[in-house]
Amino acid sequence: MTDHHTYGTSTHTADDLVRLVSVRLGLVFTERDSDYRGVYRLPSSPGGRVEIQPNRIPGDNGQDDLYAPEHPSTQVLLLTITPVADPAMQARLGSIEGLIHLNHETV
């Protein structure tokens, strides 16, 4: 079973969010580039995965698509995947002003 959370912001840039999340969670992010996802940020984090992803991603026909089309006004996404619920991490992320919790799934 894994615990997935999606957060979003239109207040912060991806770089701003990297800085804020780094302070809250003690993570160091590296930038990755993907033809499908564009530029996203990923830390090495034991026990789970945290990603900062722009909502606009490269489309097939030269126009941008949305990574999360159900949230078109969201500019930057924060995705977390942990093996079990992590209420402490959720509380720390919830303390970031302008970061909105968009979705939660347990799979």
Side-chain angles (χ1 to χ4, degrees):
M1 184 182 299
T2 57
D3 197 52
H4 299 256
H5 289 266
T6 303
Y7 296 83
T9 184
S10 293
T11 306
H12 304 293
T13 66
D15 289 335
D16 291 339
L17 195 54
V18 164
R19 183 180 48 77
L20 292 165
V21 173
S22 293
V23 168
R24 298 297 192 297
L25 301 182
L27 300 173
V28 176
F29 286 82
T30 57
E31 191 173 280
R32 307 281 176 98
D33 196 357
S34 162
D35 290 338
Y36 171 71
R37 295 177 60 182
V39 176
Y40 64 102
R41 280 80 171 179
L42 187 67
S44 57
S45 54
R49 187 174 177 110
V50 178
E51 301 176 18
I52 295 177
Q53 167 74 48
N55 198 16
R56 294 202 173 280
I57 58 174
D60 291 334
N61 57 1
Q63 295 182 5
D64 287 344
D65 290 330
L66 295 177
Y67 189 85
E70 65 276 17
H71 303 289
S73 64
T74 301
Q75 295 176 0
V76 181
L77 300 167
L78 173 81
L79 312 168
T80 67
I81 303 169
T82 54
V84 296
D86 188 341
M89 180 173 67
Q90 303 312 318
R92 283 180 260 155
L93 293 174
S95 72
I96 298 174
E97 191 170 328
L99 186 64
I100 308 299
H101 189 257
L102 301 173
N103 189 34
H104 172 238
E105 279 184 62
T106 302
V107 182

